[in-house]
Structure formats: structure tokens, C-alpha cells
Amino acid sequence: AGSTTVDYLIVAGGAGGGLHHGGGGGAGGTRQYYPNPATGGHAVSIQAYPIAVGAGGAERVYDGPYGAGNSGSVSTFDSISSAGGGGGAGTGAGANTGGSGGGGNQPYGGPEAAGNTPDTSATDSGSQGNSGGTGSYGGSHSMGGGGGATVVGGNNSGATGGAGGAGLTTTIISPGDSPGIYGGGGGGDSFGTGGAGGAGGGGAGGSGPGGTVAGAAGTVNTGGGGGGGSHALPGYAGGSGLVVIRYKFQ
């Protein structure tokens, strides 16, 4: 009387923010297949299936050399994989591609990076993420936000770092109850105001001249990207991912 298909939400580990005028870390790739499991979904049989939950990109401590944030790790269920988020740009290195791409730091680091890498747009789960936003080293040193599962990372605006892109809102865990949000990008660092973390576990970017106001890491089990850091601040860690399997059992 049960189901031979399952619904899934596969969120990879979010990336860390860049070090020294860092862009926000990209969210972990976020793939969802959530029809009615009695009438559609991912086909399964009675056997063991491999599942892996990706770790978030580790914090990048200010101990030299500068560079991009650490990318997140892959999450998998069966043959389906979500790519880890791409680390945010830092002085001397551009952002990394991934499930969602890291925010940029031009011209002394590099540009923002593409998300949805590899491209999953044509699959049942659709695109797994978005690109990071642009940043500027000049003036207020405001950096781009990391891409989120559903929204591109924000560009810097004057003395404000780019906000992380928003994640995916879903009720797959608790249908009929309050929805959860997963895969938010990290905010970019700024000498003015750090970029806000994207909804879905993204951490805020550091701020203040010389790195006086701390940012935040991505939230555990959301795939959120970490905020970018500046000077004495680290490139904040990304949040670990999540794998959810939902099925009709009677």
C-alpha cells in the first residue's frame, strides 16, 4: 500500500567567505523533487541507497596568504548530487564556481563566479543555484554577496556589501506547517556595512574599517554560505548541507 517513489531535497555544503575584503560564500547546490510521492517522484526499490551530507567550507583564518573562501562539499542521494557552494573572492583570488557561486572582489581579487555548476537546469529538480554578485575594492571596499538557491547574489552598493542571494522555501519536511528555507548565500564584506546573509542560512559579511565588526558563518544543515571577512576578520565558514527523503508509507 506504500509508494515506489520518493521526494527529495538535497542541499550541499555552503562555501566560506573570502579572506581580506572577501566576497560572500555561495550557497550549497539545492535540488528538490517534490511532487505527490504517490503519483510521481524518484523511483526506488527495496535496497540500500548511498546518502552523503556535504560539509560546509571551513573558515579561512587571517594568517596569510589571502585568497578565496573554501568551497563546500557535495551532498548525494542515490545517483543525484548537489554541488558544494563556491568560495567568495578574496584579495589575490577570484571567487569559485559551485552549486551557487561566490561573490566578487574587483580588481584586486577577481570577479564573482557562476552558480549551477554543473548545470542541472534540464533535470526534474531544475537549477541548483545562482551566481554571486559583483564587488569593488575601490572606495569603501564593498564586496559581492554569494549566490543563493533561488536568487543571484547582490552587488555591492556604495558603502554596503552585497547581500547573499535567497534560498529555497519548502514544506517538504513538514507539509502544512511553517516552511523551511535552505541555500542562502553569504553577505559580502565592507568597510561600511557588511552585506546581509541570504534567507536560508546565509551569514552576514564583516564590516567596519580594518575589520572591526564580525560577520557570521552559514547556519548548520542549511547549506548557507559564510560571510566575507576583512583584515583581521576570517572568511567565515559555510553551513553544512542536508538530505531529506519523503515517501508515502501507507
Side-chain angles (χ1 to χ4, degrees), residues 87-89 94-97 101-106 110-115 131-135 144-145 152-155:
N96 295 321
T97 61
N105 162 357
Q106 286 95 342
E112 69 279 7
S131 301
T134 61
V152 173
N155 299 333

Side-chain angles (χ1 to χ4, degrees), residues 51-198:
I51 294 176
V53 177
E59 177 179 281
R60 182 147 189 177
V61 180
Y62 182 77
D63 59 0
Y66 304 140
N70 293 304
S71 294
S73 297
V74 174
S75 287
T76 59
F77 160 62
D78 193 12
S79 59
I80 308 157
S81 296
S82 292
T91 298
N96 295 321
T97 61
S100 282
N105 162 357
Q106 286 95 342
Y108 295 109
E112 69 279 7
N116 194 34
T117 305
D119 189 344
T120 62
S121 299
T123 66
D124 291 326
S125 58
S127 171
Q128 62 176 317
N130 290 278
S131 301
T134 61
S136 174
Y137 192 89
S140 63
H141 302 348
S142 298
M143 307 307 153
T150 62
V151 177
V152 173
N155 299 333
N156 75 299
S157 177
T160 301
L168 173 72
T169 300
T170 178
T171 58
I172 190 171
I173 294 177
S174 53
D177 295 333
S178 298
I181 310 177
Y182 303 92
D189 167 72
S190 175
F191 270 13
T193 302

